[in-house]
Amino acid sequence: MLTFDARPADGAPRAGVHALVIGVSSYPHLPGGSAAQPGSAAAGLGLTQLAAPALTAYRVHQWLIDHREELPVPLHTVRLLLAPSAEELDAEPSIGRPPAGQPTHAGIRAALNDWRADLARFAKSMAFFFYSGHGLGGTGEDALMLAADFGDPAVELLDRAVSITDVEQGMAPPRPGGARTIGRRQVYFVDACRNRPPGLTADTARVPTVWDEQVDTAEADRELAILLATINGQQAYVGAPREATVFGQALLECLDGAAAEAAEPDGSIRWSVSTATISSRLPERMEERTAQLRVRQSFRPGRQLMPIRLVTFAETPRLEVTFPVTGPTPAANLRVDLSDLSGVTSFNPLELPVRAHPVPMGHYGIVARAVVPPPTEERRAVRTLRPPRHEFAVDL
Amino acid sequence: MSNSDASDPGTLVVQVAFERPELREAGLPVQVRHLSMATVAVGRTGEPIAIAPGRYLVTLTLPGGDELYEQVEVAAGATSTVELVPPPAAAVTAPVDTARWAAQRYFTAVADDARVEFEGAPAPASPRTVHLRLLAGNPLDPPLRTVGAALVRFDRHEVTLAGHGKLPPLPLAPTGQGALDPDRYQLVLRVPDGDVQVLWLRVTAPPERTRFLAVPATPGETCTLLLTRAHGITPEFHVADPWVDALLQYGQGGDVTQMRALLDTGVAADDPSLVRRLVVDYTVLRVGTTPDVDAGPALMGDAAAPLPDSRLIEAERAARRGEHERAQELFIGAVDRGLPMFSDGLGYLSTRVPQYLRLRGTASAPDPPLLDRLVDRWERLRPLLDAADLKPAILTLRGNVLRYSDRAP
């Protein structure tokens, strides 16, 4: 289901981002679902209804639309398939506007084939794929994504699963010389478990292909990045209530600047996020949540992870800086100066009591000191401040 | 002699105060940035970096994930040295045993007074006893055979090696300041001379299940086995080459930026070991840019031919070039040689082959005779795939899954 369509009206091939975003929280055939059957093959897998994937996918969808002017090429299409839970609809009432498609196996398959057709128009286009929902460990680097109708007793279990390897292999460029092409820059995010429930006896290598037509491929000139929420054998987790998943939240933070790197292509500072910088920063962002949730989830780059630029910000990303007072000096008697090291910008941002201050990301000098009674000691530090937040304890 | 001109470049040398001396030789990638944080140069620790005079910010992300940075002033025609200081081990906390955590701990080498005994030694099984056995052979064509006389040095521990009596404990050079860790210890394993092949170390550490670890070294080389006691004892191999080990650790943490920087600054070596060549080629396949993919074959010589890894690297390259029939033959040839040393190889094998099998009944399917052979190798491989733990860079099998014989050849 297209929720954003800015394809050229004249039909001419032009480079654009084509996104397919899928979030599945509600599984009718799994325990707790409207069509669940006790004793079915799916019921024995320990899979339940979820409370964050659809919300996560919706926020990724919104991020794409909000940043459409900052993507490497213009945003041309977004296809959104969602099966939200009641909790997610409550947390984000706008989740159903505009209406998303159904992430059943047939729905996903149709969306994938339409998505590929859009991308087959121009080699300089860019593919963006995001899935959040239940998953199973495939073989090797594969991950299986479960459609909303997974567990339908009328078919084999894995007939309602989609292999990410099958998806990205179906998106590989056709052999040179033919009339067809495909967008060469391709980014895949899979936010799903990769463990094998004890009750699963089926051969996960037998997941059927989703493609209506097989293309003879040669992918040597493809720029491919696959980022998986967890390593094979481990689970991926939902986050705190009303939050995105652990991986999804970390990804969104990275896309919002936590993974930004600076460059000076024309003498002015430009901050960009790429798949490489996301890969470098994701573990740190995920650890913040896994520590709070006391779970174990390890990010894994997929079988290939090339650096592909995703966004260049029009303005320097900002973060929230807090200065918790941990020493005996009352907050009212403290002052903190925050200045960037080039000396171009210097500001004394604090109005005590100390609280959060949005500042542009960058490298800063921080000086904390007591101003009443006459200054006796101070704490100096230099810090690289990155979104979404930084905490600098004042212990004086 | 002449006076330096303001337009002359300066030289910057970045040192890191590692506790372990070998890590100073790793040549880790450092970024030299304007104070705006825009990167203006990338160099290696310990090596001079030519750069225009000015004030810079030097940053380094360690393989364990910690980011170090320091300001430095570089003057025209002069050499400035800046030293980055890693955080003390005591400052490192983590609630769970992640790869990032394990890597950080490795950078603060310590040992303790636990005992490690080779299988066959008369010792009761206890949580402080680890049984080790070095094996050779094709895991897909068992039984493996015991390899004798591997030289083992174990820091400050009594080691009883079957047939060799008790080896004297070696003194451990203190490397930390009050940071001795009672829950981890290490041994150095030297692979005996002989054919180039993947050896397997059987590690049994009650109450954990048995594990089989591929040994990341070729004949005459050493590698380090790290045993960490948290919930049971977890074995982990590290290669002896600190540059390669750093590359693997960056990979474990997903730090693609540093992996690429390390590749860009350090691929060339006078006489790269086979292990270095394999790791470089795997890394290029994973994070290299498109033209890099074909850059590897020149690095790989005949010495690597017996290893499944070299076939798997070639197979993945062929598949990416669209030479699918050749790729399928290479995947079959790799399985015939056994299991690879590195998880990436098994990952490529067990991702590509099912995809080829998935195409059965389509125009893109392999020819029937080739398809039959692919199915045959896949069925042979499948039982071991379920035991494979692809999280460590070096292939690990969980469970008592490989049959072996006590008889040495």
Side-chain angles (χ1 to χ4, degrees):
Chain A
M1 176 69 74
L2 279 170
T3 55
F4 182 89
D5 186 358
R7 288 174 288 192
D10 59 5
R14 293 196 188 94
V17 174
H18 295 275
L20 174 53
V21 181
I22 304 168
V24 192
S25 299
S26 177
Y27 286 85
H29 298 286
L30 295 181
S34 57
Q37 293 184 11
S40 69
L45 298 179
L47 303 176
T48 60
Q49 303 301 311
L50 298 173
L55 179 65
T56 305
Y58 178 73
R59 288 181 177 166
V60 169
H61 162 270
Q62 286 303 109
W63 183 91
L64 281 164
I65 292 173
D66 292 347
H67 292 268
R68 60 186 178 278
E69 303 296 334
E70 298 171 319
L71 305 178
V73 289
L75 183 63
H76 277 184
T77 64
V78 184
R79 289 176 169 82
L80 179 65
L81 307 180
L82 293 180
S85 65
E87 296 97 313
E88 290 168 304
L89 287 168
D90 181 50
E92 187 78 63
S94 59
I95 202 168
R97 299 192 301 268
Q102 285 296 309
T104 59
H105 192 270
I108 293 173
R109 181 176 178 142
L112 279 165
N113 281 279
D114 290 345
W115 179 60
R116 183 170 74 169
D118 274 335
L119 281 153
R121 296 181 58 77
F122 200 52
K124 291 185 177 176
S125 284
M126 178 173 170
F128 183 103
F129 178 90
F130 178 89
Y131 168 86
S132 184
H134 273 310
L136 299 171
T139 59
E141 303 282 3
D142 200 8
L144 304 183
M145 304 170 283
L146 307 188
D149 49 349
F150 178 80
D152 181 348
V155 296
E156 294 287 329
L157 263 185
L158 296 183
D159 285 353
R160 293 293 177 263
V162 176
S163 153
I164 187 62
T165 302
D166 182 45
V167 170
E168 59 91 357
Q169 282 297 297
M171 293 288 290
R175 282 184 182 283
R180 299 179 59 131
T181 189
I182 195 85
R184 294 297 196 272
R185 279 177 290 177
Q186 301 180 6
V187 184
Y188 300 82
F189 299 99
V190 179
D191 180 14
C193 293
R194 297 180 67 200
N195 61 321
R196 300 256 192 107
L200 183 68
T201 55
D203 180 0
T204 54
R206 293 187 175 275
V207 172
T209 183
V210 292
W211 299 109
D212 293 341
E213 181 189 358
Q214 295 297 331
V215 179
D216 203 9
T217 60
E219 56 189 291
D221 66 342
R222 173 163 66 161
E223 295 176 47
L224 174 65
I226 306 171
L227 295 95
L228 306 171
T230 190
I231 59 174
N232 210 345
Q234 276 192 10
Q235 291 179 282
Y237 290 90
V238 299
R242 294 174 173 264
E243 257 200 359
T245 59
V246 167
F247 175 81
Q249 185 66 31
L251 174 62
L252 286 162
E253 288 174 356
C254 285
L255 289 170
D256 279 333
E261 277 288 325
E264 293 181 356
D266 51 9
S268 59
I269 303 296
R270 305 299 299 270
W271 293 85
S272 298
V273 174
S274 74
T275 51
T277 63
I278 288 176
S279 181
S280 301
R281 293 287 167 188
L282 256 178
E284 170 188 297
R285 300 310 316 146
M286 286 174 64
E287 276 179 29
E288 186 175 299
R289 274 172 184 74
T290 54
Q292 292 167 352
L293 298 168
R294 294 190 166 277
V295 296
R296 179 174 176 155
Q297 180 178 341
S298 308
F299 159 71
R300 170 82 171 174
R303 72 174 183 86
Q304 207 171 345
L305 205 160
M306 290 183 175
I308 300 174
R309 186 163 56 86
L310 292 173
V311 59
T312 300
F313 297 104
E315 296 180 358
T316 302
R318 301 178 87 83
L319 70 147
E320 196 173 77
V321 185
T322 55
F323 302 93
V325 176
T326 58
T329 305
N333 296 349
L334 293 171
R335 183 178 184 84
V336 180
D337 291 339
L338 188 63
S339 57
D340 78 359
L341 297 173
S342 68
V344 172
T345 309
S346 178
F347 48 95
N348 302 323
L350 297 185
E351 294 290 334
L352 298 178
V354 179
R355 58 177 181 266
H357 297 271
V359 300
M361 70 183 298
H363 202 68
Y364 286 90
I366 304 173
V367 181
R369 58 179 178 270
V371 292
V372 178
T376 53
E377 59 176 327
E378 62 182 26
R379 185 185 168 207
R380 288 178 174 269
V382 289
R383 293 281 187 276
T384 297
L385 306 186
R386 290 184 168 277
R389 67 192 73 87
H390 185 89
E391 186 176 285
F392 184 84
V394 181
D395 180 14
L396 291 171
Chain B
M1 182 176 290
S2 62
N3 293 321
S4 61
D5 188 279
S7 61
D8 287 347
T11 302
L12 175 63
V13 177
V14 182
Q15 307 280 8
V16 186
F18 285 126
E19 292 174 345
R20 291 171 67 98
E22 67 267 29
L23 294 176
R24 297 179 197 134
E25 300 164 12
L28 300 178
V30 292
Q31 283 78 32
V32 184
R33 304 170 186 267
H34 283 317
L35 296 183
S36 67
M37 293 194 69
T39 300
V40 294
V42 176
R44 302 177 64 182
T45 54
E47 296 186 357
I49 304 166
I51 196 161
R55 196 176 182 200
Y56 296 99
L57 177 69
V58 176
T59 64
L60 163 65
T61 303
L62 292 176
D66 289 290
E67 189 175 21
L68 314 179
Y69 43 80
E70 196 65 68
Q71 282 184 75
V72 63
E73 186 84 36
V74 178
T79 297
S80 301
T81 299
V82 61
E83 183 171 72
L84 303 175
V85 182
V92 178
T93 57
V96 289
D97 186 20
T98 62
R100 172 190 165 98
W101 171 231
Q104 176 60 38
R105 298 182 81 185
Y106 176 62
F107 274 68
T108 58
V110 287
D112 77 300
D113 60 353
R115 290 172 63 86
V116 171
E117 306 204 4
F118 270 67
E119 195 156 349
S126 80
R128 297 175 68 83
T129 304
V130 179
H131 295 280
L132 305 172
R133 180 183 289 268
L134 192 61
L135 300 163
N138 183 346
L140 299 172
D141 188 18
L144 305 182
R145 63 185 189 281
T146 300
V147 178
L151 294 176
V152 174
R153 187 186 79 214
F154 197 74
D155 292 337
R156 218 175 72 176
H157 300 280
E158 288 187 357
V159 176
T160 306
L161 181 59
H164 293 264
K166 183 176 286 187
L167 302 178
L170 297 175
L172 173 74
T175 54
Q177 294 180 342
L180 289 182
D181 185 339
D183 290 327
R184 50 198 299 283
Y185 33 104
Q186 64 181 13
L187 61 81
V188 177
L189 182 69
R190 180 180 295 279
V191 171
D193 292 334
D195 297 335
V196 171
Q197 59 183 319
V198 180
L199 297 178
W200 296 88
L201 190 70
R202 181 180 185 269
V203 182
T204 306
E208 290 293 294
R209 291 190 303 174
T210 297
R211 288 183 177 89
F212 290 88
L213 281 70
V215 179
T218 52
E221 295 179 343
T222 62
C223 53
T224 300
L225 179 67
L226 195 67
L227 300 167
T228 306
R229 185 167 50 216
H231 307 290
I233 293 177
T234 302
E236 181 181 64
F237 262 127
H238 289 265
V239 299
D241 181 338
W243 184 90
V244 175
D245 197 47
L247 189 56
L248 292 174
Q249 294 292 337
Y250 283 128
Q252 290 280 89
D255 194 337
V256 175
T257 305
Q258 285 295 80
M259 291 169 80
R260 290 176 55 82
L262 202 55
L263 279 182
D264 290 343
T265 58
V267 171
D270 290 341
D271 185 19
S273 71
L274 202 49
V275 168
R276 178 182 275 225
R277 293 174 191 179
L278 291 174
V279 172
V280 165
D281 283 355
Y282 276 128
T283 308
V284 169
L285 280 175
R286 185 173 285 273
V287 304
T289 52
T290 308
D292 296 337
V293 173
D294 288 325
L299 278 174
M300 195 73 75
D302 291 341
L307 295 176
D309 299 78
S310 63
R311 295 246 159 185
L312 293 171
I313 289 166
E314 278 305 300
E316 178 64 18
R317 285 196 188 111
R320 292 185 188 183
R321 287 194 293 262
E323 299 166 2
H324 295 295
E325 190 171 323
R326 179 162 181 267
Q328 289 152 11
E329 289 286 2
L330 285 161
F331 280 125
I332 289 169
V335 174
D336 289 344
R337 282 164 173 72
L339 294 179
M341 190 181 286
F342 291 97
S343 297
D344 273 2
L346 191 61
Y348 290 127
L349 174 67
S350 53
T351 304
R352 286 282 182 187
V353 173
Q355 184 62 18
Y356 287 132
L357 300 184
R358 191 173 285 129
L359 299 180
R360 275 180 284 204
T362 75
S364 300
D367 291 336
L370 188 54
L371 182 63
D372 290 345
R373 290 164 60 216
L374 269 178
V375 170
D376 172 72
R377 302 310 192 280
W378 180 247
E379 292 303 325
R380 287 174 58 192
L381 189 65
R382 269 188 60 200
L384 287 179
L385 282 181
D386 288 338
D389 181 358
L390 299 183
K391 180 186 173 188
I394 296 152
L395 185 57
T396 300
L397 303 175
R398 290 174 174 273
N400 200 16
V401 292
L402 300 186
R403 287 196 295 118
Y404 63 90
S405 163
D406 279 328
R407 283 180 301 168

